[in-house]
Amino acid sequence: MMFEPKEPQKKLKYEELRIYTDEELNNYTEEELKEFKCKHPIPDVEDLEKGPWPSFVADAKREALHRRKLPDDRLLIGKYVVEDTLGQLQLSFDHGETHWKHGGIVGVFGYGGGVIGRYSDVPEKFPDIAHFHTLRVNQPASKFYDTEYLRTLCDLWEFRGSGMFNFHGSTGDIIFLGTTTEQLEPVFYELTHVLQQDLGGSGSNLRTPSCCVGKARCEWSCIDTQDMCYELTHYYQDELHRPAFPYKFKFKFDGCPNCCVASIARADMSFIGTWKDDIRIDQEAVQAYINGEIPPNGGAFKGRDWGKFDIYKEVINLSPTKCMWMEDGKL
Ligand code: HEM
Ligand code: HEM
Ligand code: SF4
């Protein structure tokens, strides 16, 4: 590998980095949650909780209640930031238009990307979201984490931000949703100096490169997606942090044409692993499948009798290019 970290990589320990106690983290009951009323009436927003899918509104209410019950000096931005977000969403539904305004550029010293500036256009109604800037945090290749790291991030963002995340954006990054301008540098300092964690890309720069789980866990992988992603992320550090392009540009790496990170749909330059060799056939295994010694589909359908394995029906006839056939009992 060409790029090696310039400083030794620390193993983060939540116990050393944590901000909140267990009591502070678990500070409300399910009964209190049922009784919870948002500071603003939000009937249409609450309607979104009804469907069959988990709702961001239900999650936001948990966070809102949790913040309400924390003492004032345990939060560095507004206590009602979550409730104000929901309230403003209701107002947007009422008016049929957004109440977020594009306003100015915010960022951190030395970087031109990674922070997305956002302000409410009705700060008098929703003072805690007068500023609501988003940070992109560069995810590790294939998004491997341990809980020490995740809990440390959660504490940091609870303390200095809204406590709301998006894991992950379609970019791949961890998205920190909503904080004030004053908190940007402290969050950036904590991330980079303490957690050894960089910001990602936003605006007209190289967007955070992103890769599928690849050969770390996936049997289909034809290339080392993580290695490529890591390499190019480092090679183009300058382009990632200082927007110099007329428009955004993105690399994505898929280990095979299944395209799990949607490199075709969501990248300007897609790297997709393909097979390059003569086709190899394990004739013994083919016979074992035909004779039922190896269960089809890894045994996934064994709960029901699907009949005898039929190599024509289940394999050969499914080839779009008709590239397979049997000859003298051999594939
Ligand atoms: C809970 C609330 C929100 C969620 C879950 C959310 C989610 C996302 C996601 C998934 C992306 C794309 C990340 C990617 O590039 O893959 C994104 C980007 C973006 N969001 Fe949000 N978002 C939220 C709130 C907001 C709000 C309130 C605003 C505006 C006021 C906003 C403005 C933007 C903008 C401008 C970008 C693109 C920025 C760039 O790439 O330069 N988002 N958001
Ligand atoms: C008011 C109009 C629009 C707004 C506010 C808007 C906003 C955004 C935002 C915030 C993103 C970033 C999301 C992400 O990174 O995942 C985005 C991505 C994108 N938008 Fe739009 N958009 C608008 C209209 C359009 C239209 C009309 C098109 C094309 C017909 C378009 C095409 C795209 C594409 C291709 C992306 C990249 C999606 C991806 O990452 O896969 N947008 N847009
Ligand atoms: S794109 Fe291919 S190699 Fe990557 S995770 Fe998906 S199936 Fe596996």
Side-chain angles (χ1 to χ4, degrees), residues 281-291 293-294 329-331:
I281 302 172
D282 183 343
Q283 293 293 352
E284 267 179 40
V286 174
Q287 290 309 319
Y289 275 107
I290 293 175
N291 299 331
E293 289 146 31
I294 302 181
K330 277 190 161 182
L331 184 67

Side-chain angles (χ1 to χ4, degrees), residues 56 85 98 100-102 116 118-119 132 134 136 164-166 168-173 175 177 201-203 207 248 266:
F56 74 93
T85 311
T98 181
W100 296 108
K101 68 175 177 185
H102 264 285
I116 300 154
R118 192 55 64 185
Y119 302 85
F132 191 78
T134 299
R136 288 217 164 123
M164 291 190 286
F165 297 89
N166 176 219
H168 300 83
S170 35
T171 54
D173 303 83
I175 315 276
L177 294 163
S202 72
R207 294 305 183 83
K248 60 183 169 182
R266 292 177 167 261

Side-chain angles (χ1 to χ4, degrees), residues 2-262:
M2 255 166 81
F3 289 92
E4 295 293 342
K6 291 212 173 84
E7 52 183 85
Q9 300 292 289
K10 289 176 287 198
K11 170 101 184 72
L12 299 182
K13 295 237 175 4
Y14 179 63
E15 284 310 322
E16 289 164 16
L17 295 163
R18 68 185 298 169
I19 297 170
Y20 296 104
T21 62
D22 284 340
E23 291 69 42
E24 285 172 323
L25 291 177
N26 302 297
N27 68 351
Y28 63 89
T29 63
E30 294 299 307
E31 278 66 46
E32 286 174 297
L33 184 65
K34 274 191 210 117
E35 298 300 311
F36 176 77
K37 286 266 165 320
C38 179
K39 164 180 174 201
H40 313 281
I42 49 165
D44 299 312
V45 174
E46 280 172 336
D47 213 40
L48 299 175
E49 285 183 86
K50 287 183 193 149
W53 305 104
S55 164
F56 74 93
V57 180
D59 285 348
K61 282 181 171 175
R62 280 184 181 271
E63 179 59 16
L65 173 60
H66 172 55
R67 290 179 79 88
R68 251 200 221 177
K69 295 197 70 184
L70 282 173
D72 287 346
D73 62 353
R74 301 294 282 144
L75 294 167
L76 294 184
I77 75 163
K79 191 167 228 176
Y80 296 103
V81 58
V82 181
E83 291 176 62
D84 279 359
T85 311
L86 296 175
Q88 181 169 298
L89 184 55
Q90 176 65 43
L91 192 69
S92 303
F93 286 160
D94 295 341
H95 292 172
E97 63 177 28
T98 181
H99 283 287
W100 296 108
K101 68 175 177 185
H102 264 285
I105 303 251
V106 283
V108 291
F109 194 68
Y111 280 17
V115 184
I116 300 154
R118 192 55 64 185
Y119 302 85
S120 168
D121 74 0
V122 272
E124 58 294 342
K125 278 204 179 72
F126 306 109
D128 284 358
I129 54 166
H131 311 189
F132 191 78
H133 311 316
T134 299
L135 283 99
R136 288 217 164 123
V137 177
N138 195 333
Q139 80 288 355
S142 303
K143 310 182 180 83
F144 283 102
Y145 305 104
D146 66 8
T147 49
E148 309 257 353
Y149 172 81
L150 291 175
R151 298 187 75 187
T152 306
L153 277 195
C154 289
D155 273 27
L156 172 66
W157 193 238
E158 187 80 77
F159 193 48
R160 298 190 177 274
S162 71
M164 291 190 286
F165 297 89
N166 176 219
F167 266 90
H168 300 83
S170 35
T171 54
D173 303 83
I174 303 166
I175 315 276
F176 281 14
L177 294 163
T179 195
T180 59
T181 308
E182 295 72 38
Q183 288 304 326
L184 293 174
E185 287 293 350
V187 171
F188 181 55
Y189 186 91
E190 289 289 323
L191 284 174
T192 47
H193 290 79
V194 183
L195 308 186
Q196 297 186 313
Q197 169 63 63
D198 205 356
L199 291 187
S202 72
S204 295
N205 63 11
L206 182 78
R207 294 305 183 83
T208 319
S210 138
C211 64
C212 76
V213 74
K215 67 179 199 180
R217 286 188 73 83
C218 179
E219 61 177 316
W220 305 112
S221 195
C222 298
I223 51 173
D224 188 339
T225 54
Q226 293 162 319
D227 192 32
M228 293 173 79
C229 189
Y230 184 79
E231 194 79 14
L232 291 189
T233 304
H234 283 274
Y235 191 85
Y236 290 110
Q237 272 296 292
D238 205 29
E239 286 73 14
L240 220 165
H241 296 309
R242 286 163 277 277
F245 302 154
Y247 193 62
K248 60 183 169 182
F249 190 90
K250 181 134 183 141
F251 298 123
K252 278 192 166 188
F253 308 89
D254 274 310
C256 82
N258 277 340
C259 227
C260 291
V261 285

